[in-house]
mmCIF file with all atom_site columns, all heavy atoms in Angstrom:
data_model
loop_
_atom_site.group_PDB
_atom_site.id
_atom_site.type_symbol
_atom_site.label_atom_id
_atom_site.label_alt_id
_atom_site.label_comp_id
_atom_site.label_asym_id
_atom_site.label_entity_id
_atom_site.label_seq_id
_atom_site.pdbx_PDB_ins_code
_atom_site.Cartn_x
_atom_site.Cartn_y
_atom_site.Cartn_z
_atom_site.occupancy
_atom_site.B_iso_or_equiv
_atom_site.pdbx_formal_charge
_atom_site.auth_seq_id
_atom_site.auth_comp_id
_atom_site.auth_asym_id
_atom_site.auth_atom_id
_atom_site.pdbx_PDB_model_num
ATOM 1  N N   . ARG A 1 77 ? 85.881 74.664 92.724  1.00 95.00 ? 77 ARG A N   1
ATOM 2  C CA  . ARG A 1 77 ? 86.118 73.622 92.001  1.00 95.00 ? 77 ARG A CA  1
ATOM 3  C C   . ARG A 1 77 ? 85.515 72.176 92.548  1.00 95.00 ? 77 ARG A C   1
ATOM 4  O O   . ARG A 1 77 ? 85.391 71.252 91.616  1.00 95.00 ? 77 ARG A O   1
ATOM 5  C CB  . ARG A 1 77 ? 87.577 73.451 91.583  1.00 95.00 ? 77 ARG A CB  1
ATOM 6  C CG  . ARG A 1 77 ? 88.130 74.521 90.868  1.00 95.00 ? 77 ARG A CG  1
ATOM 7  C CD  . ARG A 1 77 ? 89.636 74.281 90.710  1.00 95.00 ? 77 ARG A CD  1
ATOM 8  N NE  . ARG A 1 77 ? 90.320 75.594 90.242  1.00 95.00 ? 77 ARG A NE  1
ATOM 9  C CZ  . ARG A 1 77 ? 91.640 75.787 90.147  1.00 95.00 ? 77 ARG A CZ  1
ATOM 10 N NH1 . ARG A 1 77 ? 92.492 74.779 90.544  1.00 95.00 ? 77 ARG A NH1 1
ATOM 11 N NH2 . ARG A 1 77 ? 92.202 76.914 89.560  1.00 95.00 ? 77 ARG A NH2 1
ATOM 12 N N   . ASP A 1 78 ? 85.322 72.260 93.624  1.00 93.00 ? 78 ASP A N   1
ATOM 13 C CA  . ASP A 1 78 ? 84.699 70.918 94.371  1.00 93.00 ? 78 ASP A CA  1
ATOM 14 C C   . ASP A 1 78 ? 83.870 71.304 95.624  1.00 93.00 ? 78 ASP A C   1
ATOM 15 O O   . ASP A 1 78 ? 83.567 72.406 95.932  1.00 93.00 ? 78 ASP A O   1
ATOM 16 C CB  . ASP A 1 78 ? 85.957 70.016 94.736  1.00 93.00 ? 78 ASP A CB  1
ATOM 17 C CG  . ASP A 1 78 ? 85.471 68.507 94.632  1.00 93.00 ? 78 ASP A CG  1
ATOM 18 O OD1 . ASP A 1 78 ? 84.353 68.281 94.509  1.00 93.00 ? 78 ASP A OD1 1
ATOM 19 O OD2 . ASP A 1 78 ? 86.376 67.643 94.870  1.00 93.00 ? 78 ASP A OD2 1
ATOM 20 N N   . TYR A 1 79 ? 83.685 70.333 96.373  1.00 91.00 ? 79 TYR A N   1
ATOM 21 C CA  . TYR A 1 79 ? 82.666 70.455 97.521  1.00 91.00 ? 79 TYR A CA  1
ATOM 22 C C   . TYR A 1 79 ? 83.109 71.424 98.572  1.00 91.00 ? 79 TYR A C   1
ATOM 23 O O   . TYR A 1 79 ? 82.145 71.835 99.345  1.00 91.00 ? 79 TYR A O   1
ATOM 24 C CB  . TYR A 1 79 ? 82.465 69.098 98.100  1.00 91.00 ? 79 TYR A CB  1
ATOM 25 C CG  . TYR A 1 79 ? 83.502 68.477 98.886  1.00 91.00 ? 79 TYR A CG  1
ATOM 26 C CD1 . TYR A 1 79 ? 83.839 68.783 100.106 1.00 91.00 ? 79 TYR A CD1 1
ATOM 27 C CD2 . TYR A 1 79 ? 84.393 67.542 98.101  1.00 91.00 ? 79 TYR A CD2 1
ATOM 28 C CE1 . TYR A 1 79 ? 85.024 68.150 100.775 1.00 91.00 ? 79 TYR A CE1 1
ATOM 29 C CE2 . TYR A 1 79 ? 85.410 66.933 98.954  1.00 91.00 ? 79 TYR A CE2 1
ATOM 30 C CZ  . TYR A 1 79 ? 85.733 67.231 100.143 1.00 91.00 ? 79 TYR A CZ  1
ATOM 31 O OH  . TYR A 1 79 ? 86.756 66.696 100.763 1.00 91.00 ? 79 TYR A OH  1
ATOM 32 N N   . PRO A 1 80 ? 84.387 71.759 98.717  1.00 92.00 ? 80 PRO A N   1
ATOM 33 C CA  . PRO A 1 80 ? 84.721 72.790 99.990  1.00 92.00 ? 80 PRO A CA  1
ATOM 34 C C   . PRO A 1 80 ? 84.011 74.158 99.968  1.00 92.00 ? 80 PRO A C   1
ATOM 35 O O   . PRO A 1 80 ? 83.972 74.634 101.027 1.00 92.00 ? 80 PRO A O   1
ATOM 36 C CB  . PRO A 1 80 ? 86.198 72.956 99.833  1.00 92.00 ? 80 PRO A CB  1
ATOM 37 C CG  . PRO A 1 80 ? 86.707 71.651 99.206  1.00 92.00 ? 80 PRO A CG  1
ATOM 38 C CD  . PRO A 1 80 ? 85.682 71.343 98.161  1.00 92.00 ? 80 PRO A CD  1
ATOM 39 N N   . LEU A 1 81 ? 83.491 74.542 98.844  1.00 94.00 ? 81 LEU A N   1
ATOM 40 C CA  . LEU A 1 81 ? 82.814 75.873 98.937  1.00 94.00 ? 81 LEU A CA  1
ATOM 41 C C   . LEU A 1 81 ? 81.352 75.641 99.240  1.00 94.00 ? 81 LEU A C   1
ATOM 42 O O   . LEU A 1 81 ? 80.567 75.223 98.416  1.00 94.00 ? 81 LEU A O   1
ATOM 43 C CB  . LEU A 1 81 ? 83.007 76.621 97.544  1.00 94.00 ? 81 LEU A CB  1
ATOM 44 C CG  . LEU A 1 81 ? 82.527 78.133 97.699  1.00 94.00 ? 81 LEU A CG  1
ATOM 45 C CD1 . LEU A 1 81 ? 83.240 78.831 98.705  1.00 94.00 ? 81 LEU A CD1 1
ATOM 46 C CD2 . LEU A 1 81 ? 82.686 78.665 96.313  1.00 94.00 ? 81 LEU A CD2 1
ATOM 47 N N   . ASN A 1 82 ? 80.982 75.985 100.406 1.00 94.00 ? 82 ASN A N   1
ATOM 48 C CA  . ASN A 1 82 ? 79.698 75.794 100.852 1.00 94.00 ? 82 ASN A CA  1
ATOM 49 C C   . ASN A 1 82 ? 79.433 76.696 102.127 1.00 94.00 ? 82 ASN A C   1
ATOM 50 O O   . ASN A 1 82 ? 80.411 77.329 102.512 1.00 94.00 ? 82 ASN A O   1
ATOM 51 C CB  . ASN A 1 82 ? 79.243 74.370 101.174 1.00 94.00 ? 82 ASN A CB  1
ATOM 52 C CG  . ASN A 1 82 ? 80.208 73.802 102.147 1.00 94.00 ? 82 ASN A CG  1
ATOM 53 O OD1 . ASN A 1 82 ? 80.359 74.284 103.342 1.00 94.00 ? 82 ASN A OD1 1
ATOM 54 N ND2 . ASN A 1 82 ? 80.981 72.737 101.836 1.00 94.00 ? 82 ASN A ND2 1
ATOM 55 N N   . GLU A 1 83 ? 78.321 76.877 102.703 1.00 94.00 ? 83 GLU A N   1
ATOM 56 C CA  . GLU A 1 83 ? 78.021 77.712 103.734 1.00 94.00 ? 83 GLU A CA  1
ATOM 57 C C   . GLU A 1 83 ? 78.391 77.001 105.058 1.00 94.00 ? 83 GLU A C   1
ATOM 58 O O   . GLU A 1 83 ? 78.787 77.629 105.992 1.00 94.00 ? 83 GLU A O   1
ATOM 59 C CB  . GLU A 1 83 ? 76.617 78.100 103.816 1.00 94.00 ? 83 GLU A CB  1
ATOM 60 C CG  . GLU A 1 83 ? 76.097 78.943 102.696 1.00 94.00 ? 83 GLU A CG  1
ATOM 61 C CD  . GLU A 1 83 ? 74.728 79.427 102.697 1.00 94.00 ? 83 GLU A CD  1
ATOM 62 O OE1 . GLU A 1 83 ? 73.854 78.604 102.681 1.00 94.00 ? 83 GLU A OE1 1
ATOM 63 O OE2 . GLU A 1 83 ? 74.503 80.587 103.010 1.00 94.00 ? 83 GLU A OE2 1
ATOM 64 N N   . SER A 1 84 ? 78.209 75.656 105.174 1.00 95.00 ? 84 SER A N   1
ATOM 65 C CA  . SER A 1 84 ? 78.327 74.939 106.485 1.00 95.00 ? 84 SER A CA  1
ATOM 66 C C   . SER A 1 84 ? 79.740 74.931 107.059 1.00 95.00 ? 84 SER A C   1
ATOM 67 O O   . SER A 1 84 ? 80.085 74.982 108.141 1.00 95.00 ? 84 SER A O   1
ATOM 68 C CB  . SER A 1 84 ? 77.817 73.622 106.433 1.00 95.00 ? 84 SER A CB  1
ATOM 69 O OG  . SER A 1 84 ? 78.368 72.855 105.375 1.00 95.00 ? 84 SER A OG  1
#
Side-chain angles (χ1 to χ4, degrees):
R77 294 175 188 172
D78 207 354
Y79 67 85
L81 189 59
N82 53 63
E83 290 182 294
S84 58

